[in-house]
Amino acid sequence: MALGLVGVMIFSLTLPFTRMAVAELNPVFVALGRAVVAAFCSGLLLWIQRAKLPQRAEFKPLLITSLGVVVGFPLFSSVAMAYVPASHGAIVLGILPLATALFAALRFNEKPSTGFWVMAVLGSGLVIVFALMQGGGSFQFADLALFIAVIAAAMGYAEGGRLSQSMGGQQVISWALLLALPVLLPVTIWLGWHYGVQASGRAWAGFAYVSLFSMFIGFFFWYKALAIGGIARVGQVQLLQPFLSLLGAALILGEVLTGREIFFALAVIIVVAMGRRMNIQR
């Protein structure tokens, strides 16, 4: 749970820094470019570790992981951040723990108890209600992109977390990034040439964070945590992510943090604490 919390703290700043980057850079360039940077870091890490090539049976889960967290989530979340505040996106992504648990249950036969599902639904319901309150009673157009991002991330978290039990978290994210590199590199170069890469240091600082931390280092902690503690249980730590993101958005972007956010943050923390005590068969 401690490793999972470190991973969530790193991921929680993804939306604020993404919004900082897409304010001046093309959103698709930011989404794919961050994976290209992380892929080169992965290649260096694997070379230093003298890592062996993945076994044939590991390529399918690596490909699913890559589609989810290397391509899908960065792409759709970056597009959404061009249209809505980071605080709005953070709350919509609050349903990610429930989606991750669902993928784990369907794909790997983890069996959360009824009590666990009640807590997961309650926690996710809290953040959905909060999103509706922020949006004046309705979801915005960019919410569709955020919901697709949730599905992609949940798929990649569940698949990568399970594979980390045999490969290790560093190996999983590194190979997933390298698998996508041959496709992403030429597309990213074209996007940079077509839309330009002239931006302030602030925008590039946001790009650097999502490339090195959100796309690479954060997964070292996250996949290790999922491998040790189970996908469904550790995934509930992500219920804290929307509110850590709100804090990051307030500090980094100057977005307003009100008493409403604090109230919902406390409510979700209580739900997470209760969910940890619920039985999960692995």
Side-chain angles (χ1 to χ4, degrees):
M1 298 299 284
L3 288 171
L5 180 59
V6 173
V8 164
M9 291 175 67
I10 292 174
F11 292 150
S12 68
L13 298 180
T14 298
L15 293 186
F17 278 112
T18 297
R19 185 157 176 80
M20 185 188 300
V22 301
E24 301 179 40
L25 295 167
N26 177 265
V28 181
F29 171 80
V30 172
L32 304 186
R34 80 186 211 179
V36 169
V37 172
F40 281 109
C41 295
S42 298
L44 178 61
L45 176 64
L46 293 172
W47 179 76
I48 292 174
Q49 294 180 338
R50 300 186 183 278
K52 297 180 180 179
L53 289 172
Q55 299 178 10
R56 179 177 297 181
E58 294 171 332
F59 273 99
K60 180 180 177 181
L62 279 173
L63 179 60
I64 296 175
T65 301
S66 183
L67 290 173
V69 301
V70 176
V71 179
F73 178 81
L75 178 60
F76 289 101
S77 62
S78 294
V79 170
M81 285 301 93
Y83 298 98
V84 295
S87 56
H88 180 90
I91 300 303
V92 175
L93 294 185
I95 61 175
L96 185 52
L98 179 60
T100 301
L102 179 60
F103 269 96
L106 296 176
R107 182 79 172 88
F108 304 118
N109 202 33
E110 288 195 6
K111 298 179 179 179
S113 63
T114 301
F116 176 90
W117 283 116
V118 170
M119 292 300 104
V121 171
L122 178 58
S124 299
L126 283 170
V127 296
I128 290 175
V129 169
F130 183 85
L132 290 172
M133 292 174 67
Q134 292 289 91
S138 62
F139 290 113
Q140 302 183 40
F141 176 77
D143 290 329
L144 175 61
L146 289 169
F147 285 133
I148 297 175
V150 165
I151 295 172
M155 177 180 68
Y157 285 167
E159 201 74 36
R162 181 57 174 260
L163 190 57
S164 296
Q165 295 177 359
S166 58
M167 287 187 66
Q170 294 182 12
Q171 300 273 318
V172 169
I173 189 59
S174 295
W175 284 115
L177 285 161
L178 286 178
L179 278 178
L181 182 61
V183 176
L184 299 186
L185 180 58
V187 176
T188 301
I189 293 175
W190 181 86
L191 288 169
W193 173 80
H194 184 74
Y195 291 101
V197 293
Q198 302 240 343
S200 66
R202 177 180 172 85
W204 282 112
F207 180 83
Y209 183 91
V210 296
S211 299
L212 297 176
F213 289 92
S214 303
M215 195 76 263
F216 190 53
I217 297 174
F219 283 98
F220 295 176
F221 298 93
W222 184 241
Y223 279 152
K224 181 68 172 179
L226 294 180
I228 295 174
I231 299 167
R233 181 179 299 279
V234 177
Q236 296 308 293
V237 180
Q238 285 181 295
L239 285 171
L240 301 177
Q241 184 169 325
F243 304 99
L244 293 174
S245 295
L246 285 173
L247 180 60
L251 296 176
I252 298 169
L253 302 176
E255 296 183 9
V256 178
L257 181 63
T258 67
R260 179 184 296 175
E261 284 90 350
I262 296 174
F263 171 80
F264 275 89
L266 292 174
V268 169
I269 289 173
I270 293 172
V271 171
V272 171
M274 296 175 64
R276 285 187 56 188
R277 292 181 169 85
M278 300 300 173
N279 182 51
I280 299 177
Q281 296 180 10
R282 301 178 60 192

